[in-house]
Amino acid sequence: MGDRTHTHTGAAGRAVTADRPASLRNVVLVGHSGSGKTTLVEALALTAGALNRAGRVEDGATVSDHDEIEQRRGRSVQLSVVPVEWDGFKINLLDTPGHADFVGELRAGLRAADAALFVVSAAQEADTVAGTTRSLWEECAAVGMPRAIVVTHLDTARTPFEEMSRICGRIFGNGDPDAVLPLHLPVQGHAGPDGHAPLTGLTALLSGRVFDHSSGERREAPLSGGRRGPLQEARARLIEGIIAESEDESLMDRYLAGDEIDVTTLVGDLERAVARGSFHPVLTAAPAAEGARQGIGTVELLDLITRGFPSPGERALPAVTTPDGVPRPAPVCDPAAPLVAEVVKTSSDPYVGRVSLVRVFSGTLRPDDAVHVCGHGLAGSGGADRPCHGADVRVGALSAPFGGQQRPVDHCVAGDLACVSRLGGAETGDTLSGDGDPLLMEPWTMPDPLLPLAVRAHGKADEDKLSQGLARLVAEDPTMRQEQNQDTRQVVLWCMGEAHAEVALEHLRSRYGVRVDAEPHRVPLRETFAARSVGRGRHVKQSGGHGQYAVCEIEVEPLPAGAGIEFVDQVVGGSVPRQFVASVEKGVRAQAARGVASGNPLVDVRVTLLDGKSHAVDSSDAAFQTAGALALREAAADTRVQLLEPVARIGVLVPDAYVGAVMSDLAGRRGRIVGTEQASGERTLVRAEVPETEIGRYTVDLRSLTHGTGRFDRAYARHEPMPPQRADRIREADETGMKGS
């Protein structure tokens, strides 16, 4: 694998197409931010002839990072597809962001792919590699996705390749480090003044061939005597690992008996084990030198992808149902079968509008096809609560994405990816099927956004554009949720983290021309009476003609949590005429909604109308509404009004090493630990109840506390009384803000 001499046809500037699933490979690149995924895609595209010159991330000149925000920030924030052609195969390279805030783009890449390259940097700490990639590795393992590991940045390594291989075996081996082994050993030159040694070539373990790049070209070179010892040791371990995964049970007996196993046999078993997802090779790669066409390890990687990774037809496809949930036969990866496709990403183009990146699972998609689009959002992003939407639409222009470019194509077969313009109101996760047989694919999951960002229009001209801009953002990104909070009167954009929020604001300003200001997020608080109280509302005005006259007396008493506002009429003798009792109740409820002490809604009280006075001419509905509101405010002034804060029920999943730190941190947030549960992978689930005022930024703080290894979910539990000292500080802050405004 990777020992052949290659020729290829240059594909630069033209669309790479495929007519059968067997000639397709869909590979997603996964790894921590800064691990070198985008640079690796650039190097692979150059080697395959899809590019004439490789760009640099630092210059904002790579194919993958085509968005102006990516170029400005120097890192990926969205999924990008770069198709290349190698030895008659079309390879869709899916470059994903490494930052945890953009996990939605990563999940879309995993959905569209059939195999994964985990890119780890030898220049990063081993803890960073473990924390940010282990959970993704487990996700891939759960669906049996084949995986390989690529080690980058060996020329500036903190950790030598041999040690990185052992770390990968420990992190990704799932108890079997012999299932994660290198296929090659790097050849490094002499260390420079900074102590770093350049990567100059690779030695293939199975064949023993050395490929040297020191001249700028990939050339075979003799094996130096000093490397024979390490080579033989690594080769023996690799052969044993391959044989352990072989379907030929006699192979191990022959090997232990001293028989020399043919390299062709070993390579065949290796390729089958990789395709099954039971063996995970470790490789290394580096960009091409200036003026060279082949980076170090890029030929070997392209060979692994085409020969070791499965075609779309070899992967199990997601289950399908009718829109009303009736199971249907599983789709078949066959261009001649009925159409089943899925929107894996939605984006906006300033010239053509909404563009849908579609993975075709079955059938063939063509321009002007009549298709049925249906779905109800992605699991975990609020989709489960939405009704299924559906519409018959006609497919617009079809194109093959190449980073930010769109190259027209006339069809897209089962297993391939294409961009479709003007696909109606299609959303990410929607299913495309024949218009006469609507189908719905089992959705993939998205994490819930947990960082609130409150925004307001900067000026009058931005108010009308704000709602439209937010709607487009949310339609494009399923990990973003918009909320119009009726209690705090804030527009809240729920994001995955600070970087996600910053990019959202930049997109609003640059893409949709909306100037917005961020403001502190306010948690919806409540008020309630701490004890029984009475109040008298008197609204009497006489200014000529009909006056206003209404008097009412009420009693207010607290109720159990969740009881709401209860109104009771105990008037006797008609002191408040029947037609005005409802007016008093209306005034009381209106005042309760506005609050009586801190401007937060009043809840969980019983208001009893005891007595009152009226006038035959001057009493009216409006007068008694005002009197009811005044009575409630007077009752509040004569007792202590408690401030209630929402409490969230959270589950924090962290490695065992961080359990103590997490529990201590939660205690500092006034949290109550409910319990702990042991989880897989040496992790613990900590369950707790924490006031929501304490966890507004918890998604950011937890990531920092656990070095990116922890995650949590939350759900509203109830409102509880806030400690008096904290409540007083909030009231003082509110009063100060009102005076300042």
Side-chain angles (χ1 to χ4, degrees):
M1 196 180 289
D3 292 357
R4 298 175 294 169
T5 301
H6 292 273
T7 59
H8 59 78
T9 56
R14 66 175 177 84
V16 180
T17 59
D19 290 318
R20 55 193 182 92
S23 64
L24 281 163
R25 298 293 184 271
N26 297 308
V27 183
V28 60
L29 282 81
V30 177
H32 187 267
S33 184
S35 61
K37 298 182 299 299
T38 298
T39 300
L40 180 57
V41 168
E42 202 80 0
L44 293 171
L46 179 67
T47 297
L51 292 176
N52 294 321
R53 179 181 177 275
R56 288 167 20 106
V57 172
E58 297 84 353
D59 301 331
T62 62
V63 173
S64 295
D65 291 346
H66 53 84
D67 187 274
E68 62 177 345
I69 292 177
E70 294 176 311
Q71 295 168 355
R72 192 161 53 244
R73 290 172 172 261
R75 70 180 180 196
S76 303
V77 300
Q78 61 183 2
L79 173 68
S80 182
V81 183
V82 179
V84 301
E85 189 175 4
W86 186 253
D87 276 359
F89 291 86
K90 178 185 179 182
I91 304 172
N92 287 314
L93 298 170
L94 293 103
D95 186 17
T96 64
H99 198 289
D101 282 6
F102 306 105
V103 65
E105 302 289 320
L106 171 61
R107 294 281 177 88
L110 290 174
R111 180 67 162 198
D114 303 304
L117 285 177
F118 278 71
V119 183
V120 298
S121 172
Q124 293 174 329
E125 298 288 351
D127 287 345
T128 300
V129 175
T132 56
T133 56
R134 176 180 286 176
S135 61
L136 295 173
W137 185 271
E138 292 173 352
E139 283 188 39
C140 293
V143 296
M145 179 177 283
R147 287 143 284 155
I149 301 107
V150 185
V151 179
T152 59
H153 299 151
L154 278 177
D155 53 344
T156 57
R158 292 173 181 264
T159 311
F161 179 77
E162 291 77 5
E163 180 61 23
M164 281 300 303
S165 296
R166 286 191 287 271
I167 290 171
C168 290
R170 186 182 74 246
I171 296 173
F172 304 131
N174 194 26
D176 182 13
D178 287 337
V180 181
L181 295 171
L183 297 185
H184 310 85
L185 292 183
V187 179
Q188 292 183 270
H190 298 292
D194 58 359
H196 295 137
L199 184 66
T200 60
L202 297 175
T203 302
L205 290 179
L206 291 182
S207 68
R209 296 171 70 185
V210 179
F211 294 94
D212 179 66
H213 290 253
S214 57
S215 66
E217 299 295 330
R218 182 178 185 263
R219 294 174 178 169
E220 190 166 353
L223 177 66
S224 63
R227 296 191 57 81
R228 292 187 184 276
L231 174 66
Q232 291 303 319
E233 181 181 345
R235 184 176 191 272
R237 191 178 176 202
L238 174 61
I239 291 174
E240 291 173 8
I242 294 172
I243 291 175
E245 297 295 336
S246 175
E247 297 175 346
D248 184 352
E249 298 179 358
S250 68
L251 211 56
M252 181 62 78
D253 295 334
R254 289 167 49 199
Y255 178 73
L256 294 176
D259 291 353
E260 183 69 25
I261 308 299
D262 181 64
V263 171
T264 304
T265 301
L266 291 172
V267 169
D269 283 338
L270 169 64
E271 292 171 354
R272 284 187 287 272
V274 171
R276 287 197 308 270
S278 60
F279 185 85
H280 314 291
V282 180
L283 302 95
T284 189
E290 185 69 30
R293 287 215 60 90
Q294 293 179 341
I296 299 174
T298 54
V299 169
E300 289 76 7
L301 265 174
L302 290 166
D303 281 348
L304 171 72
I305 291 170
T306 56
R307 299 174 62 190
F309 282 167
S311 69
E314 298 173 84
R315 299 278 296 141
L317 301 187
V320 296
T321 66
T322 62
D324 54 2
V326 178
R328 293 292 301 273
V332 180
C333 188
D334 181 352
L339 177 68
V340 181
E342 187 174 41
V343 178
V344 295
K345 176 179 167 58
T346 307
S347 58
S348 291
D349 185 278
Y351 301 105
V352 300
R354 183 178 293 190
V355 177
S356 303
L357 176 63
V358 172
R359 161 76 191 253
V360 179
F361 287 95
S362 175
T364 301
L365 187 66
R366 295 181 175 84
D368 293 326
D369 277 354
V371 299
H372 185 82
V373 178
C374 67
H376 48 70
L378 296 173
S381 62
D385 300 327
R386 295 170 53 193
C388 182
H389 60 267
D392 292 325
V393 301
R394 190 165 294 280
V395 175
L398 212 60
S399 58
F402 187 80
Q405 303 175 31
Q406 300 295 331
R407 298 172 172 176
V409 293
D410 57 9
H411 68 282
C412 179
V413 299
D416 207 353
L417 300 167
C419 284
V420 184
S421 61
R422 299 186 300 277
L423 198 56
E427 301 177 11
T428 301
D430 282 359
T431 302
L432 279 63
S433 55
D435 58 352
D437 186 20
L439 297 174
L440 190 63
M441 297 195 81
E442 180 184 27
W444 73 93
T445 60
M446 284 286 191
D448 285 323
L450 297 169
L451 181 71
L453 172 68
V455 296
R456 66 171 182 269
H458 181 75
K460 290 282 187 182
D462 302 298
E463 290 180 357
D464 293 337
K465 295 188 290 185
L466 178 59
S467 59
Q468 185 178 13
L470 290 175
R472 288 181 178 177
L473 272 185
V474 173
E476 293 176 18
D477 189 349
T479 60
M480 197 174 287
R481 179 167 54 87
Q482 180 186 354
E483 174 193 4
Q484 182 77 48
N485 194 296
Q486 299 301 320
D487 293 333
T488 63
R489 300 177 183 85
Q490 284 187 314
V491 176
V492 181
L493 201 59
W494 288 87
C495 306
M496 298 301 300
E498 288 181 311
H500 196 206
E502 291 170 2
V503 169
L505 291 177
E506 285 193 54
H507 276 150
L508 281 172
R509 292 166 185 149
S510 62
R511 187 181 293 176
Y512 303 118
V514 186
R515 294 181 304 162
V516 293
D517 297 319
E519 59 183 9
H521 173 249
R522 296 194 296 272
V523 173
L525 304 177
R526 303 281 188 272
E527 300 173 345
T528 194
F529 278 49
R532 176 185 170 278
S533 181
V534 295
R536 185 171 188 266
R538 184 174 185 273
H539 182 61
V540 178
K541 287 187 177 182
Q542 190 68 45
S543 56
H546 282 299
Q548 299 181 47
Y549 189 97
V551 178
C552 64
E553 297 178 6
I554 62 171
E555 177 186 71
V556 186
E557 53 189 324
L559 290 177
I565 301 291
E566 183 180 328
F567 185 84
V568 179
D569 173 21
Q570 288 190 358
V571 173
V572 293
S575 56
V576 177
R578 291 288 90 195
Q579 68 268 29
F580 295 135
V581 171
S583 303
V584 175
E585 179 179 359
K586 190 174 181 180
V588 165
R589 291 188 180 277
Q591 184 63 54
R594 294 190 295 269
V596 293
S598 63
N600 295 290
L602 178 71
V603 296
D604 303 333
V605 293
R606 176 186 292 120
V607 179
T608 303
L609 178 60
L610 302 174
D611 200 1
K613 293 181 181 179
S614 64
H615 187 278
V617 176
D618 294 340
S619 291
S620 65
D621 171 66
F624 271 100
Q625 284 190 46
T626 302
L630 291 171
L632 186 62
R633 282 155 53 185
E634 182 179 290
D638 289 341
T639 190
R640 183 168 65 89
V641 177
Q642 284 184 327
L643 205 56
L644 304 177
E645 60 182 344
V647 175
R649 188 180 298 111
I650 70 172
V652 188
L653 184 65
V654 293
D656 294 342
Y658 295 107
V659 171
V662 166
M663 293 176 71
S664 176
D665 179 70
L666 290 174
R669 298 172 186 270
R670 298 188 288 126
R672 294 186 295 273
I673 305 300
V674 176
T676 60
E677 300 174 17
Q678 197 62 39
S680 62
E682 299 179 344
R683 292 177 298 178
T684 299
L685 179 64
V686 180
R687 298 192 181 278
E689 293 182 344
V690 192
E692 289 190 12
T693 54
E694 302 285 351
I695 57 172
R697 290 178 47 83
Y698 190 58
T699 186
V700 178
D701 298 337
L702 178 65
R703 194 177 295 164
S704 174
L705 181 65
T706 63
H707 297 279
T709 61
R711 62 178 186 266
F712 81 107
D713 56 53
R714 61 186 281 180
Y716 169 78
R718 59 189 170 278
H719 273 72
E720 286 185 354
M722 181 180 285
Q725 290 182 338
R726 292 187 63 85
D728 290 342
R729 287 200 296 269
I730 289 178
R731 290 191 183 100
E732 290 172 5
D734 288 343
E735 290 174 1
T736 302
M738 291 177 64
K739 290 177 182 178
S741 61

